[in-house]
Protein backbone atom coordinates (compact mmCIF):
# COMPACT_ATOMS: atom_id res chain seq x y z
CA UNK A 1 0.00 0.00 0.00
CA UNK A 2 1.74 3.14 -1.27
CA UNK A 3 -0.38 5.57 0.72
CA UNK A 4 1.32 4.63 4.00
CA UNK A 5 4.76 5.43 2.59
CA UNK A 6 3.55 8.71 1.14
CA UNK A 7 1.96 9.94 4.36
CA UNK A 8 3.63 13.10 5.56
CA UNK A 9 4.55 13.62 9.17
CA UNK A 10 3.08 16.94 10.16
CA UNK A 11 4.12 18.75 13.30
CA UNK A 12 1.53 21.15 14.68
CA UNK A 13 1.78 23.95 17.24
CA UNK A 14 -1.07 23.35 19.69
CA UNK A 15 -1.63 26.70 21.36
CA UNK A 16 -0.28 30.21 21.85
CA UNK A 17 0.59 32.89 19.31
CA UNK A 18 1.52 30.34 16.60
CA UNK A 19 -1.44 28.05 17.28
CA UNK A 20 -2.32 25.89 14.29
CA UNK A 21 0.94 26.50 12.39
CA UNK A 22 2.08 23.28 10.73
CA UNK A 23 5.46 22.05 9.54
CA UNK A 24 6.05 18.99 7.39
CA UNK A 25 8.78 16.80 8.85
CA UNK A 26 10.91 14.98 6.25
CA UNK A 27 10.16 11.24 6.31
CA UNK A 28 13.89 10.54 6.28
CA UNK A 29 14.21 11.87 9.84
CA UNK A 30 14.87 9.37 12.62
CA UNK A 31 13.39 11.81 15.13
CA UNK A 32 9.62 12.04 15.36
CA UNK A 33 7.76 14.96 16.93
CA UNK A 34 6.20 14.22 20.32
CA UNK A 35 2.59 13.28 19.57
CA UNK A 36 0.02 16.08 19.82
CA UNK A 37 -1.81 14.04 22.46
CA UNK A 38 1.27 13.66 24.68
CA UNK A 39 2.40 17.26 24.07
CA UNK A 40 -1.01 18.73 24.90
CA UNK A 41 -1.27 16.68 28.09
CA UNK A 42 2.28 17.56 29.15
CA UNK A 43 1.66 21.28 28.77
CA UNK A 44 -1.62 20.97 30.68
CA UNK A 45 0.32 19.36 33.55
CA UNK A 46 3.06 22.02 33.31
CA UNK A 47 0.48 24.79 33.78
CA UNK A 48 0.21 23.65 37.40
CA UNK A 49 3.96 24.06 37.97
CA UNK A 50 5.19 26.95 35.84
CA UNK A 51 4.00 29.99 33.91
CA UNK A 52 6.05 29.78 30.72
CA UNK A 53 5.36 33.38 29.68
CA UNK A 54 8.63 35.33 29.78
CA UNK A 55 10.75 32.35 30.89
CA UNK A 56 14.12 31.13 29.67
CA UNK A 57 13.81 27.62 28.24
CA UNK A 58 16.17 24.93 26.98
CA UNK A 59 15.26 22.01 24.70
CA UNK A 60 17.87 19.24 24.77
CA UNK A 61 17.90 16.62 21.98
CA UNK A 62 15.56 19.02 20.15
CA UNK A 63 14.93 16.59 17.26
CA UNK A 64 12.28 18.18 15.04
CA UNK A 65 11.98 21.25 17.28
CA UNK A 66 8.36 20.43 18.16
CA UNK A 67 8.75 21.33 21.86
CA UNK A 68 10.93 24.39 21.12
CA UNK A 69 8.31 25.84 18.77
CA UNK A 70 5.53 25.12 21.28
CA UNK A 71 7.54 26.92 24.00
CA UNK A 72 8.05 29.96 21.76
CA UNK A 73 4.35 29.98 20.91
CA UNK A 74 3.53 29.99 24.62
CA UNK A 75 5.55 33.15 25.23
CA UNK A 76 8.99 32.05 26.43
CA UNK A 77 11.43 34.97 26.35
CA UNK A 78 14.13 32.72 24.90
CA UNK A 79 14.29 29.09 23.81
CA UNK A 80 17.63 27.45 23.14
CA UNK A 81 17.45 24.18 21.19
CA UNK A 82 20.40 21.79 21.22
CA UNK A 83 20.51 19.20 18.45
CA UNK A 84 23.49 17.19 17.15
CA UNK A 85 22.06 15.95 13.83
CA UNK A 86 22.90 18.31 10.95
CA UNK A 87 19.59 17.82 9.07
CA UNK A 88 17.47 18.19 12.21
CA UNK A 89 19.42 21.33 13.18
CA UNK A 90 18.79 22.79 9.70
CA UNK A 91 15.08 21.88 9.90
CA UNK A 92 14.63 23.64 13.27
CA UNK A 93 16.46 26.71 11.89
CA UNK A 94 14.08 26.70 8.89
CA UNK A 95 11.01 26.51 11.16
CA UNK A 96 12.28 29.44 13.26
CA UNK A 97 12.88 31.45 10.09
CA UNK A 98 9.29 30.72 8.91
CA UNK A 99 7.96 31.95 12.26
CA UNK A 100 10.30 34.95 12.09
CA UNK A 101 10.94 34.54 15.82
CA UNK A 102 14.30 35.83 17.05
CA UNK A 103 13.72 34.38 20.54
CA UNK A 104 14.59 30.91 19.26
CA UNK A 105 18.25 29.93 19.10
CA UNK A 106 19.35 26.57 17.73
CA UNK A 107 22.76 25.16 18.60
CA UNK A 108 24.26 22.22 16.75
CA UNK A 109 26.15 20.19 19.29
CA UNK A 110 26.40 17.33 21.72
CA UNK A 111 23.99 17.62 24.66
CA UNK A 112 26.42 16.11 27.20
CA UNK A 113 29.15 18.61 26.25
CA UNK A 114 26.59 21.41 26.32
CA UNK A 115 25.46 20.50 29.87
CA UNK A 116 29.09 20.45 31.08
CA UNK A 117 29.97 23.84 29.60
CA UNK A 118 26.67 25.74 29.95
CA UNK A 119 26.88 28.85 32.16
CA UNK A 120 23.33 30.06 31.50
CA UNK A 121 20.38 29.30 33.80
CA UNK A 122 16.90 28.29 32.69
CA UNK A 123 13.43 28.29 34.24
CA UNK A 124 12.41 25.30 32.14
CA UNK A 125 14.47 22.49 30.60
CA UNK A 126 13.08 19.72 28.40
CA UNK A 127 15.03 16.65 27.25
CA UNK A 128 13.82 14.08 24.73
CA UNK A 129 16.81 11.81 24.10
CA UNK A 130 16.51 8.75 21.86
CA UNK A 131 14.87 6.13 24.11
CA UNK A 132 17.63 3.62 23.23
CA UNK A 133 20.48 5.99 24.19
CA UNK A 134 23.06 4.09 26.27
CA UNK A 135 23.49 6.72 28.97
CA UNK A 136 19.87 7.94 29.04
CA UNK A 137 19.64 7.25 32.78
CA UNK A 138 22.44 9.77 33.51
CA UNK A 139 20.63 12.75 31.97
CA UNK A 140 18.28 13.72 34.87
CA UNK A 141 21.14 13.56 37.38
CA UNK A 142 23.46 15.60 35.11
CA UNK A 143 20.82 18.29 34.60
CA UNK A 144 19.73 18.42 38.26
CA UNK A 145 23.34 18.51 39.55
CA UNK A 146 24.38 21.21 37.07
CA UNK A 147 23.70 24.85 37.85
CA UNK A 148 21.41 25.18 34.83
CA UNK A 149 18.00 25.37 36.55
CA UNK A 150 16.84 28.47 38.38
CA UNK A 151 15.37 28.04 41.85
CA UNK A 152 11.96 26.40 41.45
CA UNK A 153 12.82 25.67 37.80
CA UNK A 154 11.24 22.66 36.11
CA UNK A 155 13.03 19.90 34.20
CA UNK A 156 11.05 17.42 32.10
CA UNK A 157 12.57 14.19 30.79
CA UNK A 158 10.75 12.31 28.04
CA UNK A 159 11.53 8.59 28.07
CA UNK A 160 10.27 5.08 27.39
CA UNK A 161 8.44 2.82 29.82
CA UNK A 162 11.62 1.03 30.98
CA UNK A 163 13.06 4.04 32.83
CA UNK A 164 12.07 4.96 36.38
CA UNK A 165 13.49 8.21 37.75
CA UNK A 166 11.19 8.49 40.80
CA UNK A 167 14.04 7.93 43.28
CA UNK A 168 16.12 10.84 42.00
CA UNK A 169 16.49 14.14 43.85
CA UNK A 170 13.98 16.73 42.72
CA UNK A 171 11.51 14.23 41.21
CA UNK A 172 7.93 15.57 41.52
CA UNK A 173 5.70 13.80 38.99
CA UNK A 174 5.44 11.11 36.32
CA UNK A 175 2.94 11.04 33.48
CA UNK A 176 2.41 8.38 30.83
CA UNK A 177 0.62 8.83 27.50
CA UNK A 178 0.74 5.66 25.44
CA UNK A 179 4.41 4.81 24.87
CA UNK A 180 5.50 8.32 25.91
CA UNK A 181 6.55 8.90 29.51
CA UNK A 182 7.44 12.19 31.16
CA UNK A 183 9.29 12.53 34.46
CA UNK A 184 9.12 15.98 36.03
CA UNK A 185 11.71 17.43 38.38
CA UNK A 186 11.87 20.70 40.27
CA UNK A 187 15.03 22.42 41.41
CA UNK A 188 15.08 23.43 45.06
CA UNK A 189 17.99 25.50 46.36
CA UNK A 190 19.71 23.70 49.20
CA UNK A 191 19.98 25.78 52.35
CA UNK A 192 23.45 25.81 53.87
Amino acid sequence: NDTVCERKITMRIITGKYKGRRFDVPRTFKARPTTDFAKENLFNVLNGYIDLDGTMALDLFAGTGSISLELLSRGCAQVISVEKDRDHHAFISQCLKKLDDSNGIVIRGDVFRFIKSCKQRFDFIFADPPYALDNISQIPRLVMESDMLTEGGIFVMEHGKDNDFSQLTGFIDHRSYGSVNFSLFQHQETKE
Side-chain angles (χ1 to χ4, degrees):
N1 188 343
D2 287 355
T3 53
V4 175
C5 296
E6 295 306 307
R7 221 174 67 225
K8 285 194 302 241
I9 299 159
T10 301
M11 178 172 84
R12 182 174 66 94
I13 297 176
I14 295 168
T15 202
K17 60 184 172 186
Y18 303 128
K19 179 181 179 175
R21 293 288 296 269
R22 294 172 183 275
F23 301 91
D24 290 333
V25 178
R27 282 194 313 272
T28 53
F29 277 18
K30 292 184 295 287
R32 294 284 176 262
T34 301
T35 65
D36 283 359
F37 176 72
K39 191 164 58 168
E40 195 158 6
N41 280 293
L42 171 66
F43 279 97
N44 287 340
V45 170
L46 285 175
N47 285 338
Y49 291 106
I50 187 170
D51 178 5
L52 291 167
D53 196 40
T55 60
M56 302 295 278
L58 174 65
D59 184 4
L60 300 171
F61 304 95
T64 60
S66 171
I67 297 293
S68 296
L69 299 177
E70 194 69 42
L71 289 166
L72 286 169
S73 186
R74 289 166 189 256
C76 287
Q78 187 180 57
V79 178
I80 294 178
S81 314
V82 181
E83 175 53 53
K84 188 161 73 172
D85 184 280
R86 181 177 45 101
D87 295 336
H88 296 192
H89 173 271
F91 177 76
I92 298 167
S93 300
Q94 255 180 324
C95 293
L96 289 172
K97 196 177 275 178
K98 282 180 188 161
L99 292 178
D100 193 26
D101 195 320
S102 58
N103 296 326
I105 296 167
V106 59
I107 295 171
R108 185 169 167 220
D110 177 78
V111 166
F112 294 96
R113 277 197 213 116
F114 180 86
I115 292 171
K116 280 193 185 107
S117 64
C118 182
K119 299 288 178 253
Q120 193 170 345
R121 296 188 88 196
F122 301 91
D123 307 298
F124 179 74
I125 299 175
F126 182 84
D128 179 10
Y131 291 2
L133 191 73
D134 285 342
N135 44 359
I136 190 169
S137 60
Q138 294 175 18
I139 296 166
R141 188 183 50 77
L142 288 172
V143 170
M144 295 306 289
E145 288 177 2
S146 74
D147 195 32
M148 290 167 48
L149 267 180
T150 57
E151 183 169 2
I154 299 290
F155 167 58
V156 174
M157 172 84 173
E158 182 175 329
H159 57 88
K161 64 180 182 346
D162 297 333
N163 299 99
D164 177 8
F165 300 113
S166 60
Q167 301 309 308
L168 294 180
T169 305
F171 176 85
I172 52 171
D173 203 349
H174 171 262
R175 298 296 171 104
S176 175
Y177 307 104
S179 61
V180 180
N181 287 263
F182 296 110
S183 287
L184 283 72
F185 301 84
Q186 189 163 27
H187 184 261
Q188 306 295 339
E189 295 288 338
T190 48
K191 305 281 181 265
E192 290 295 312

